[in-house]
């Protein structure tokens, strides 16, 4: 698609979503709240001005949103009722959203996680406090159209335990869901959050199961607070997953995240993390398992805005068939951020000569007392290791699976929380069979 055609498709796709906003705006949650109605209207205008990003935008150079702009998405006009087959939960408390709407009958609502739509007055001053709409059109679209999401607000010193947020797309419904999730931890609070994106139809028939899931998260992490955010993206193979996360970490706080892309036709997870106070820390690790026809994009922006802050990032990608992986990671160190310690690494394992990886690690440093490094490696399975296993009677398929899982589990082992680590490891297990 040439640049003009791509621009026209972007405008046409954006027009459909704007038409949907105009039709829904009086029925969206919180219209009786002046601050929220104003925010939605401003977000819609920001999206109208920008449209969907094209590959002329540097941050979207490697990811083409043509499957989104060319598709016609609707909305679930009535709540989805009836039983759904859900994945096993790794948490004692779970909130379930189906097509972007809260399902009370499937959820354990209560402290610390609640439905945002039911508690919108409490979100004033938090919703939109760190998310950007003027230069991030997908965030603007989410702000205009969100119907629900999770609200987690922990007081000083509170341990929120382990909570799972499960977003389900019902089978065969060409819908677009834009959930908005808000998390705030006061000083000294603790939380383990397992986020899972799931489709009721993992392997739809040709032409069926198309949908868009475009969540936005906002994390405000107080002084000496700690949040673990384990993300399992297991969308159906026809789904489009476009997620954006914002985190602002105060002094001595920690935002520790792990992303696992293991589904969707096209997925992009974008994270914007600001280390705003001395000794704040961020871990943005992850893995992508991409099979034939899949496109996975992991893009991060890590802003060191205070001194003495460490950050760590390792992203591993396994690609099979005709798949494409993208890693873009930028570390920005402000002049005030002396004694920054930043590390960034992208490693890719190609299982096919048709697979492609685009890797773009970046450092932008304005301080003079820093320790920052980045790197990227691309390779194939080690033939000597494969021969070693086969020589001991292990079938080739099993041997390959063992090596792939070892490659990925090395990253997963860095997740400190046992429940989150187990949930991630379960998805990684048998990865070769799913990719083959």
């Amino acid at each position: 698609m040439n640049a003009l055609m791509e621009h026209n498709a972007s405008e046409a796709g954006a027009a459909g979503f704007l038409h949907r906003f105009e039709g829904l705006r009086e029925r969206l949650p919180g219209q009786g709240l002046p601050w929220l109605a104003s925010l939605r209207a401003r977000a819609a205008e920001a999206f109208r001005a920008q449209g969907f990003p094209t590959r002329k935008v540097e941050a979207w150079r490697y990811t083409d949103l043509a499957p989104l702009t060319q598709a016609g998405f609707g909305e679930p006009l009535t709540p989805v009722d009836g039983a759904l087959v859900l994945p096993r939960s790794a948490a004692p408390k779970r909130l379930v959203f189906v097509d972007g709407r809260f399902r009370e009958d499937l959820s354990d609502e209560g402290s610390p996680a609640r439905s945002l739509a039911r508690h919108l007055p409490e979100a004033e001053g938090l919703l939109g406090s760190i998310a950007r709409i003027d230069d991030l059109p997908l965030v603007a679209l989410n702000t205009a159209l969100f119907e629900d999401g999770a609200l987690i607000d922990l007081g000083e010193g509170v341990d929120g335990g382990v909570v799972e947020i499960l977003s389900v797309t019902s089978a065969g419904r060409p819908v677009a869901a834009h959930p908005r999730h808000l998390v705030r931890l006061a000083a000294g609070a603790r939380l383990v959050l397992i986020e899972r994106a799931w489709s009721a139809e993992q392997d739809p028939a040709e032409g069926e199961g198309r949908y868009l899931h475009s969540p936005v998260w906002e994390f405000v992490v107080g002084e000496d607070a700690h949040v673990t955010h384990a993300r399992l993206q297991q969308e159906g193979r026809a789904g489009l997953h476009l997620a954006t996360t914002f985190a602002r970490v105060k002094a001595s706080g920690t935002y520790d995240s792990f992303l696992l892309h293991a589904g969707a036709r096209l997925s992009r997870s974008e994270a914007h993390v600001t280390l705003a106070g001395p000794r704040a820390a961020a871990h943005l690790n992850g893995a992508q398992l991409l099979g034939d026809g899949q496109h996975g994009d992991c893009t991060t922006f890590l802003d060191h805005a205070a001194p003495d802050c460490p950050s760590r990032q390792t992203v591993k990608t396994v690609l099979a068939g005709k798949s494409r992986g993208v890693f873009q990671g930028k570390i920005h160190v402000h002049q005030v951020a002396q004694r920054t310690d930043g590390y960034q690494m992208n490693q890719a394992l190609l299982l096919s000569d048709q697979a492609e990886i685009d890797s773009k690690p970046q450092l932008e440093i304005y301080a003079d007392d820093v320790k920052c490094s980045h790197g990227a490696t691309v390779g194939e399975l080690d033939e000597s290791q494969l021969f070693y296993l086969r020589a001991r009677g292990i079938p080739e398929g099993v041997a390959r699976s063992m090596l792939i899982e070892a490659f990925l589990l090395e990253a997963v082992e860095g997740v400190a929380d046992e429940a989150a680590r187990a949930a991630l490891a379960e998805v990684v297990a048998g990865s070769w069979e799913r990719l083959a």
Side-chain angles (χ1 to χ4, degrees):
M1 184 183 294
N2 61 39
L4 179 59
M5 292 176 62
E6 191 171 355
H7 174 74
N8 291 340
S10 172
E11 283 193 341
F17 282 95
L18 288 167
H19 179 74
R20 179 182 175 189
F21 172 72
E22 293 301 330
L24 285 175
R25 64 187 306 170
E26 298 303 323
R27 294 185 285 130
L28 288 167
Q31 285 304 303
L33 301 171
W35 65 270
L36 182 53
S38 174
L39 178 61
R40 286 193 190 274
R42 186 163 60 86
E45 287 306 309
F47 179 69
R48 190 188 307 276
Q50 299 171 81
F52 285 113
T54 68
R55 287 175 295 174
K56 293 179 66 175
V57 178
E58 180 61 26
W60 289 86
R61 178 181 177 186
Y62 304 110
T63 297
D64 184 2
L65 289 184
L68 169 61
T69 59
Q70 295 170 359
F73 295 104
E75 62 162 326
L77 297 178
T78 57
V80 179
D81 296 319
L84 287 172
V85 177
L86 302 180
R88 183 179 59 187
S89 178
K93 282 192 175 292
R94 170 193 265 182
L95 257 62
V96 178
F97 298 86
V98 178
D99 296 337
R101 296 173 175 176
F102 180 60
R103 277 285 296 263
E104 184 175 13
D105 59 316
L106 301 174
S107 302
D108 307 303
E109 189 183 23
S111 182
R114 299 170 290 167
S115 159
L116 174 61
R118 297 183 177 191
H119 300 275
L120 276 170
E122 299 174 37
E124 185 174 5
L126 178 58
L127 176 59
S129 63
I130 58 175
R132 305 202 316 258
I133 62 175
D134 293 329
D135 62 340
L136 296 176
L138 290 176
V139 178
L141 182 62
N142 174 284
T143 304
L145 283 174
F146 82 88
E147 295 185 59
D148 211 337
L151 173 63
I152 302 176
D153 197 355
L154 299 182
E156 186 171 347
V158 173
D159 187 343
V162 183
V163 176
E164 180 177 336
I165 306 298
L166 174 63
S167 292
V168 182
T169 302
S170 55
R173 300 172 65 90
V175 300
H178 311 272
R180 187 60 165 259
H181 306 293
L182 306 179
V183 181
R184 176 164 56 192
L185 281 71
R190 296 289 185 271
L191 177 68
V192 175
L193 183 63
I194 300 175
E195 174 198 355
R196 190 187 293 249
W198 175 267
S199 173
E201 190 169 1
Q202 288 288 302
D203 296 300
E206 185 67 27
E208 297 181 357
R210 182 182 70 247
Y211 66 91
L212 167 67
H213 178 210
S214 183
V216 170
W217 287 84
E218 293 184 82
F219 287 85
V220 177
V221 184
E223 294 186 7
D224 197 35
H226 188 289
V227 59
T228 296
H229 184 197
R231 306 182 56 208
L232 288 77
Q233 185 274 102
Q234 296 173 272
E235 307 278 15
R237 289 296 292 266
L240 308 178
H241 181 92
L242 302 172
T244 310
T245 299
F246 297 89
R248 184 173 181 84
V249 188
K250 298 182 180 180
S252 300
T254 300
Y255 175 71
D256 185 1
S257 74
F258 191 97
L259 163 70
L260 181 57
H261 273 171
R265 173 187 173 188
L266 184 154
S267 60
R268 174 178 166 112
S269 289
E270 184 173 318
H272 299 259
V273 179
T274 299
L275 300 179
R279 298 172 302 283
H283 307 143
L284 304 179
N285 300 317
Q288 301 189 96
L289 286 66
L290 304 176
D292 190 51
Q294 289 183 281
H295 179 107
D297 181 337
C298 177
T299 293
T300 62
F301 301 87
L302 217 163
D303 204 24
H304 282 260
D308 302 300
C309 294
S311 65
R312 295 290 181 269
Q313 183 172 26
T314 298
V315 175
K316 297 193 172 192
T317 304
V318 177
L319 303 102
K322 192 175 182 180
S323 59
R324 184 175 186 180
V326 178
F327 170 78
Q328 299 181 103
K330 182 174 182 178
I331 297 177
H332 180 198
V333 182
H334 293 252
Q335 185 174 6
V336 70
Q338 301 295 335
R339 297 172 299 283
T340 285
D341 182 1
Y343 172 80
Q344 184 182 81
M345 173 60 72
N346 176 223
Q347 297 175 312
L349 184 61
L350 303 182
L351 305 180
S352 163
D353 57 7
Q354 293 183 298
E356 178 182 340
I357 180 73
D358 296 292
S359 184
K360 187 176 135 182
Q362 295 176 273
L363 298 176
E364 186 174 341
I365 302 173
Y366 297 96
D368 52 18
D369 183 7
V370 302
K371 182 171 67 174
C372 291
S373 63
H374 65 184
T377 64
V378 179
E380 301 175 339
L381 285 177
D382 190 316
E383 290 297 330
S384 64
Q385 293 179 349
L386 189 60
F387 176 80
Y388 177 87
L389 293 173
R390 294 191 65 192
R392 278 146 184 80
I394 298 175
E396 181 177 359
V398 176
R400 286 180 174 273
S401 183
M402 291 172 63
L403 293 177
I404 293 168
E405 289 183 27
F407 174 77
L408 293 168
L409 287 173
E410 183 181 3
V412 173
E413 287 171 357
V415 178
D417 180 77
E418 183 177 351
R421 186 172 63 251
L424 292 163
E426 183 179 357
V427 177
V428 168
S431 55
W432 165 251
E433 286 78 3
R434 290 194 300 275
L435 293 176

